Amino acid sequence: MEIKKVSIIGLGALGILFGHHLSKRMPQGDLSIIADQERIRRYQRDSLYCNGERCQFNYLTPEDKGEPADLLIFAVKYNGLQDAVKAVKNQVGEHTIILSALNGISSERIIGQTYGMDKILYCVAQGMDAVKVGNQLTYAHMGMLVFGEGEPGLISERVKRVAQFLKGKAVPYEAVTDMNRRMWGKFMLNVGVNQTVAVYKSNYGGIQKEGAARDTMIAAMREVMVLSEKEGINLTETDLTYWLNLLDTLNPEGKPSMRQDMEARRFSEVELFSGAVLELGVKYGVATPVNQELYRRIKVIETQYD
């Protein structure tokens, strides 16, 4: 069954990046952005721009009914996930495939509780250096979507369908058979880079060079490595090197999402990162002092918001 109709919920950096790319390669009626009426009015009034180009999106409200999506992509922040799950109910049909581009290791399970894990492919978005300021998104590296089944060693027909669609639309992707490991690797990366850049008020360049910030980032990532052993994932130095090498390819002036949130005085996804690490540390009796300190410092910063 060929993927033709695609819906995206969430117009942060990832939603705009992939939405704009697809909108130039799909019939307008086949790509829909799901948003409430108030957001739609704001998007239409102010417009959204991606690398200087005005985005041309087809919007649907949660109440609009029609044919369900063949592919549904979640690109919201974690604190908006529960509302997003409710908002896409008219987009989900018998054959809908769902990808979640959220950070962390829990969004697939949360979405699956409502729509069934049989509709979910595990996914991580990696390698992009997009920065969103107001209604303007800029990026040098688009990155890619990495996806696969939760069961190791399996490239299913669903995975092949998504791969065929993305290839046809020139979206960089990788279909893999070890998504649990890849998701934990991305989790390790986010725990390190998002929090460190936020606390040091820096950018990717700040952790691409030797120094205190890079040391802090790697130390936080190593705490995740220890926890991964307890979870049976067993991240290694090879995994650490892979993600550090990926970081070194990003635009030094780019910034991860948590740093962008703090600059905009938005509450961050810290509970997805060090918050989750601290919970797992308690669960397994593993000390996580670096993440404890990062959590503390981020919470202090957030208490200073108006």
Side-chain angles (χ1 to χ4, degrees):
M1 183 177 176
E2 182 182 1
I3 291 175
K4 293 184 178 179
K5 295 184 68 67
V6 178
S7 294
I8 298 173
I9 185 163
L11 282 182
L14 289 180
I16 293 175
L17 190 158
F18 288 112
H20 179 64
H21 180 90
L22 290 174
S23 70
K24 297 190 292 183
R25 294 162 174 82
M26 296 178 64
Q28 187 177 31
D30 286 348
L31 175 66
S32 299
I33 305 298
I34 311 305
D36 60 49
Q37 195 63 59
E38 181 181 349
R39 282 190 175 91
I40 293 173
R41 282 195 292 267
R42 186 169 71 248
Y43 296 149
Q44 291 175 332
R45 181 191 69 222
D46 300 336
S47 296
L48 295 167
Y49 295 86
C50 184
N51 280 349
E53 296 180 354
R54 185 174 180 272
C55 299
Q56 301 287 348
F57 290 144
N58 174 54
Y59 295 103
L60 292 178
T61 70
E63 294 74 31
D64 288 328
K65 295 183 179 180
E67 289 185 42
D70 301 315
L71 178 64
L72 172 60
I73 301 173
F74 280 79
V76 297
K77 290 282 190 180
Y78 182 75
N79 57 13
L81 180 57
Q82 294 288 358
D83 288 340
V85 168
K86 298 174 185 176
V88 299
K89 62 181 180 180
N90 288 331
Q91 302 300 312
V92 181
E94 182 181 357
H95 301 293
T96 301
I97 299 171
I98 299 175
L99 295 181
S100 169
L102 274 71
N103 289 320
I105 52 178
S106 60
S107 64
E108 281 84 359
R109 174 182 52 79
I110 293 170
I111 298 167
Q113 286 174 349
T114 296
Y115 297 114
M117 292 305 296
D118 59 310
K119 296 192 180 305
I120 307 290
L121 288 181
Y122 287 80
C123 177
V124 298
Q126 66 180 61
M128 56 282 301
D129 53 13
V131 175
K132 182 173 179 281
V133 179
N135 63 344
Q136 303 272 349
L137 179 81
T138 57
Y139 69 89
H141 298 277
M142 184 177 183
M144 64 177 173
L145 294 175
V146 182
F147 58 93
E149 297 284 357
E151 184 179 345
L154 176 64
I155 295 290
S156 66
E157 287 302 315
R158 297 191 308 153
V159 171
K160 293 176 182 177
R161 284 170 56 198
V162 175
Q164 181 181 22
F165 169 78
L166 295 178
K167 181 178 181 180
K169 300 298 181 280
V171 176
Y173 75 91
E174 186 177 351
V176 302
T177 60
D178 60 346
M179 274 308 299
N180 283 327
R181 187 181 198 87
R182 188 63 68 96
M183 290 182 71
W184 265 81
K186 177 69 184 302
F187 174 56
M188 175 177 69
L189 173 74
N190 279 331
V191 163
V193 69
N194 262 282
Q195 300 186 126
T196 301
V197 173
V199 165
Y200 280 82
K201 300 180 179 179
S202 179
N203 52 24
Y204 289 128
I207 48 82
Q208 288 170 337
K209 61 186 179 183
E210 298 299 324
R214 187 174 177 87
D215 291 343
T216 297
M217 176 185 72
I218 293 174
M221 294 170 74
R222 289 190 185 280
E223 290 182 351
V224 176
M225 288 175 63
V226 174
L227 292 169
S228 77
E229 296 175 7
K230 303 295 185 181
E231 288 277 307
I233 304 299
N234 299 311
L235 295 176
T236 67
E237 290 295 319
T238 300
D239 297 294
L240 180 64
T241 300
Y242 170 87
W243 291 103
L244 291 177
N245 287 341
L246 185 147
L247 273 181
D248 289 340
T249 69
L250 301 182
N251 178 5
E253 299 301 319
K255 301 170 186 176
S257 58
M258 183 176 281
R259 176 65 176 139
Q260 295 179 53
D261 286 339
M262 288 191 168
E263 287 182 329
R265 303 180 75 81
R266 293 189 298 262
F267 289 99
S268 72
E269 295 181 309
V270 66
E271 299 299 339
L272 273 181
F273 302 146
S274 54
V277 170
L278 298 182
E279 286 185 9
L280 288 167
V282 171
K283 177 181 178 180
Y284 292 115
V286 172
T288 55
V290 177
N291 276 282
Q292 179 73 60
E293 178 62 10
L294 288 170
Y295 183 89
R296 184 192 69 79
R297 292 176 68 177
I298 291 165
K299 286 294 190 180
V300 167
I301 292 171
E302 292 183 346
T303 62
Q304 297 169 356
Y305 294 169
D306 293 334

